[in-house]
Amino acid sequence: MVGWSRRNWLTSLALAAAGQGAIVNAWQVRPKKREPGREKAPGKTKLALEDYEPKSMLHVPETRVPRARFPVIDFHTHLSWSARRGRVTEAHNNATPEEVLPVMDRKNVRVMVNLTGGYGKVLEQTINYWQKPHPDRFVVFTEPWFEKITEAGYPQFQADQIERAQELGARGLKVLKTLGLYLRERVTSGPLVKIDDQRFDPMWEAAGAHRMPVGIHTSDPEAFFLPTDRFNERYEELSAHPDWSFHGKDYPSNQELQESRNRVMARHPGTQFVVLHVGDSENLPYVSELLDRHRNMHVEIGARIGELGRQPRASRKFFDRYQDRILFGTDAVPRGNDTPQQIFGEQLYEIYYRFLETEDEYFDYAPAPKPPQGRWRIYGIGLPEKILRKVYYENAERLLGLKT
Ligand SMILES: [Zn+2]
């Protein structure tokens, strides 16, 4: 490596005049003395990708949106999980209502939907903890009792559970990506159970009959189905969570999973489906086609403003066209430190509001030092008030039957 000198400087300038490559060379020349505070000089020591935290030099407006312009229903949260302790499954709450309510008040979130309410005893505990004491602030969904799939009579049992869940107070059904990617014939072993497996038909029908919307998470980002290599746009995320990769093994493709869910929506036109995470947020033309084809389909935007916000012009048109069928959601998890794009808190809501309400340019989609779902930043889509009201509140209000 050549030391930095006036001669190098002049040489590099001369080369720069000859072509672009020379400009790069000029930067690879290391200063003789290290500047204080600079641990790694460019060119000499390679900077690890995980240590790279570039700061944007753009001079553009930065709008803080501390409070949503209109009241909000957050359709996608995980205030609790079902946790297994030995043989007993019980509700594990990620926070207390006393912690969550003041944040909701400050951010103008009127209702939070806790999708992962579980089933049976757990569901009852969850409803008693969140919804019963605050019926106007928290809504709880039930989940399928997948462990019982090996039992004879499961289809009817599962349908009956939907009715029982409604009696307990549940207002919808949540289906995790477990269906399609984890659930197997013998629960954890054997072939994967397909999303459109007919054993679930009575369950989808029961949800429709009881006017309980189905929040369904199918598949995952397209990059999760590709090798985790240098071409993968979510390389860092997949490296941090290797178990999120669905590349290889016996996993179906993203397209197969989407199509399987589409067949369910087609087969149960009386049931309202809220396709979580926009379904396939990298492919808005495909999602648009589905929305045109399935009148009982809606989408929710949780944990996908990173995708929507990097294609702001396409997103803006998408929101215009499907303004009656898009629901606000964050996928918020209190203390979900593993996934910065989902940590419940004031910062999270402010980013969503900034994306939806402003035309700010090139900002972080998650409260994290590095963009956790891919190395890019996003642009606001500045929705008009009429669309904001629908997306924030009215569409979810209608589906949840909250209107009195
Ligand atoms: Zn979620």
Side-chain angles (χ1 to χ4, degrees):
M1 177 56 68
V2 196
W4 185 251
S5 70
R6 188 177 153 74
R7 201 166 67 98
N8 292 130
W9 174 238
L10 289 170
T11 317
S12 65
L13 279 183
L15 288 169
Q20 274 243 297
I23 297 174
V24 174
N25 285 338
W27 288 107
Q28 283 170 348
V29 181
R30 188 164 66 91
K32 233 176 214 163
K33 278 183 193 163
R34 258 184 205 182
E35 291 166 33
R38 280 208 173 219
E39 273 150 42
K40 284 173 186 166
K44 179 68 176 169
T45 320
K46 275 199 176 146
L47 177 67
L49 182 57
E50 72 242 41
D51 295 330
Y52 189 47
E53 293 179 22
K55 304 283 174 251
S56 169
M57 294 292 108
L58 278 183
H59 295 249
V60 285
E62 288 179 37
T63 316
R64 197 178 153 229
V65 190
R67 195 176 162 79
R69 205 176 309 165
F70 304 106
V72 167
I73 296 175
D74 186 343
F75 193 83
H76 188 163
T77 75
H78 301 285
L79 298 172
S80 70
W81 307 113
S82 307
R84 234 180 145 71
R85 290 212 178 84
R87 288 189 160 193
V88 205
T89 304
E90 51 185 62
H92 172 82
N93 293 304
N94 295 320
T96 64
E98 292 65 38
E99 277 175 273
V100 172
L101 283 164
V103 177
M104 291 170 70
D105 290 340
R106 283 197 290 274
K107 298 290 125 187
N108 208 8
V109 179
R110 198 162 286 172
V111 181
M112 274 178 93
V113 180
N114 178 26
L115 291 178
T116 32
Y119 43 78
K121 201 92 209 129
V122 171
L123 177 68
E124 202 171 343
Q125 287 171 9
T126 307
I127 289 172
N128 287 342
Y129 190 76
W130 294 98
Q131 193 175 300
K132 279 252 169 81
H134 311 277
D136 52 339
R137 307 305 300 276
F138 298 112
V139 163
V140 173
F141 274 31
T142 186
E143 294 172 272
W145 203 319
F146 285 138
E147 289 90 336
K148 298 241 185 212
I149 193 159
T150 52
E151 294 177 14
Y154 172 75
Q156 193 50 49
F157 167 83
Q158 186 56 71
D160 295 343
Q161 285 300 309
I162 299 300
E163 190 174 347
R164 159 133 180 83
Q166 191 177 50
E167 284 161 12
L168 287 173
R171 302 193 85 125
L173 169 68
K174 162 73 191 277
V175 178
L176 292 163
K177 66 181 170 191
T178 307
L179 185 57
L181 286 168
Y182 296 102
L183 180 66
R184 294 174 182 274
E185 278 305 327
R186 292 180 296 281
V187 185
T188 53
S189 63
L192 285 162
V193 175
K194 298 226 175 347
I195 300 169
D196 62 340
D197 189 297
Q198 296 195 342
R199 281 171 287 184
F200 300 113
D201 279 344
M203 172 182 81
W204 308 122
E205 278 301 303
H210 292 92
R211 296 188 184 285
M212 291 165 78
V214 178
I216 184 164
H217 175 177
T218 299
S219 192
D220 251 342
E222 291 191 16
F224 288 14
F225 293 82
L226 299 173
T228 307
D229 61 15
R230 68 195 174 106
F231 300 111
N232 195 309
E233 67 173 355
R234 298 172 83 129
Y235 176 82
E236 287 173 290
E237 186 182 25
L238 287 166
S239 301
H241 308 274
D243 55 316
W244 290 2
S245 171
F246 300 112
H247 172 67
K249 296 187 192 154
D250 62 343
Y251 293 120
S253 67
N254 170 53
Q255 199 193 338
E256 284 174 283
L257 291 163
Q258 305 276 347
E259 294 298 322
S260 189
R261 182 220 40 230
N262 298 344
R263 285 191 289 276
V264 172
M265 292 193 294
R267 220 189 283 157
H268 305 282
T271 306
Q272 300 302 314
F273 291 88
V274 180
V275 171
L276 303 171
H277 307 299
V278 201
D280 192 345
S281 51
E282 295 94 324
N283 193 348
L284 292 182
Y286 175 63
V287 179
S288 303
E289 215 182 281
L290 298 185
L291 282 160
D292 291 340
R293 203 188 317 153
H294 305 281
R295 301 306 302 172
N296 56 336
M297 172 179 169
H298 315 259
V299 294
E300 174 273 342
I301 64 169
R304 292 298 179 274
I305 56 168
E307 296 299 334
L308 297 172
R310 66 167 165 158
Q311 45 181 330
R313 289 181 288 269
S315 290
R316 179 67 173 76
K317 285 186 197 130
F318 183 79
F319 273 81
D320 255 340
R321 179 144 185 211
Y322 302 104
Q323 54 185 274
D324 296 309
R325 294 157 77 189
I326 302 174
L327 277 65
F328 178 90
T330 57
D331 205 0
V333 182
R335 301 184 178 83
N337 299 334
D338 232 23
T339 45
Q341 66 273 17
Q342 291 173 248
I343 303 173
F344 171 79
E346 306 216 16
Q347 253 187 309
L348 186 72
Y349 286 102
E350 289 187 18
I351 296 172
Y352 275 76
Y353 301 163
R354 190 180 182 193
F355 165 64
L356 294 168
E357 295 187 22
T358 80
E359 289 188 343
D360 278 8
E361 301 198 272
Y362 200 66
F363 55 92
D364 283 317
Y365 57 78
K370 283 176 285 175
Q373 296 170 289
R375 287 275 187 161
W376 53 79
R377 290 186 167 84
I378 63 166
Y379 306 81
I381 55 172
L383 292 175
E385 297 198 338
K386 187 183 94 178
I387 301 184
L388 277 177
R389 282 183 206 273
K390 293 179 177 180
V391 170
Y392 273 153
Y393 199 89
E394 291 167 7
N395 295 341
E397 179 192 38
R398 193 174 58 244
L399 273 177
L400 291 167
L402 297 181
K403 226 170 184 165
T404 41

